[in-house]
């Protein structure tokens, strides 16, 4: 199993003066779930180099067994500090792609033509494409083989409007994920705030929030069997 992880390069939380990036839990749990099953994982970002970690996701109250493992894993940390350039990645070299969330992707990957083309290629090859939390936002401009929105008519989840309101960032983010997916014609659904919830529709796998990252990884693994 050769799996591509795509992380954000964006570290500014709008005009708040605060930092953002990717959410450690949403990287670490799928990373170790897949790594422990023998997967070869390549990590890429739009700019390459160090991927920014959202400081909030590195706080003690966000810690899990997977984030603790990451914090003590020199090899994984080195990969995060030295990510590949997304434009250099060839979908033909991978069996699946996975996008962790965090608020960062809302600013860069959502508008990234390289990322859009990459997902479209994976989709035409019928390979698993998986996303968690805010990461489904990167599907906004992705089209299917017929040239329509990939998410149109698809069952999908992602960070809910209620969860965005709960973290106080409704007015800060460039888009509300739930609204965008519904406007794009997706059959959006979600579970309780902060509870594990994941949906699969064909090769498209999505999870609602950080607690859903393990479910997404498990569905991704199952799809690769």
């Amino acid at each position: 199993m050769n799996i591509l992880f795509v992380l954000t390069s964006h570290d500014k939380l709008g005009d708040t003066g605060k930092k953002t990036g990717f959410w450690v839990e949403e990287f670490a749990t799928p990373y170790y779930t897949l790594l422990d099953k023998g997967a070869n994982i390549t990590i890429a970002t739009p700019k390459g180099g160090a991927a920014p970690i959202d400081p909030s996701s590195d706080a003690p109250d966000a810690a899990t067994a997977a984030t603790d493992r990451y914090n003590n894993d020199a090899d994984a940390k080195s990969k995060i500090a030295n990510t590949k350039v997304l434009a250099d990645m060839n979908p033909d070299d991978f069996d699946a792609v996975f996008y962790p969330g965090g608020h960062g992707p809302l600013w860069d990957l959502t508008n990234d033509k390289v990322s859009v083309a990459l997902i479209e290629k994976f989709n035409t090859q019928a390979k698993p494409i998986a996303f968690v939390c805010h990461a489904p936002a990167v599907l906004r401009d992705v089209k299917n083989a017929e040239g329509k929105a990939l998410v149109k008519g698809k069952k999908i989840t992602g960070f809910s409007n209620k969860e965005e309101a709960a973290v106080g960032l409704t007015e800060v983010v460039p888009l509300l994920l739930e609204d965008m997916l519904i406007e794009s014609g997706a059959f959006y659904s979600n579970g309780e705030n902060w509870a594990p919830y994941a949906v699969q529709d064909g090769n498209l796998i999505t999870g609602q929030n950080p607690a859903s990252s393990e479910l997404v990884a498990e569905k991704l693994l199952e799809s690769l069997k």
Side-chain angles (χ1 to χ4, degrees), residues 91 112-124 142:
D112 193 290
K113 289 182 172 60
V114 171
S115 174
V116 169
L118 189 94
I119 297 168
E120 289 177 347
K121 183 75 182 290
F122 272 97
N123 188 59
T124 60
V142 177

Side-chain angles (χ1 to χ4, degrees), residues 51-125:
I53 291 174
D54 188 309
S56 300
S57 74
D58 211 16
D61 63 351
T64 65
T67 62
D68 289 344
R69 182 173 168 185
Y70 169 75
N71 285 329
N72 292 293
D73 186 342
D75 182 60
K77 283 185 164 182
S78 175
K79 286 182 180 177
I80 291 296
N82 300 281
T83 67
K84 310 285 188 188
V85 176
L86 188 58
D88 294 339
M89 299 296 102
N90 182 351
D92 294 341
D93 296 337
F94 300 97
D95 302 307
V97 66
F98 171 67
Y99 283 70
H103 283 89
L106 296 178
W107 276 275
D108 65 348
L109 286 166
T110 302
N111 309 301
D112 193 290
K113 289 182 172 60
V114 171
S115 174
V116 169
L118 189 94
I119 297 168
E120 289 177 347
K121 183 75 182 290
F122 272 97
N123 188 59
T124 60
Q125 294 173 332

Side-chain angles (χ1 to χ4, degrees), residues 160-201:
S160 67
N161 287 354
K162 285 183 179 178
E163 287 167 318
E164 203 67 81
V167 296
L169 294 173
T170 302
E171 304 301 325
V172 174
V173 293
L175 62 86
L176 288 171
L177 177 57
E178 179 180 333
D179 288 354
M180 182 276 287
L181 290 170
I182 292 169
E183 286 162 10
S184 298
F187 293 130
Y188 175 86
S189 62
N190 59 272
E192 303 265 332
N193 282 13
W194 320 119
Y197 184 80
V199 176
Q200 181 166 0
D201 192 333

Side-chain angles (χ1 to χ4, degrees), residues 4-15:
L4 178 63
F5 274 44
V6 182
L7 272 59
T8 181
S9 289
H10 186 87
D11 69 350
K12 293 181 179 63
L13 190 62
D15 299 323

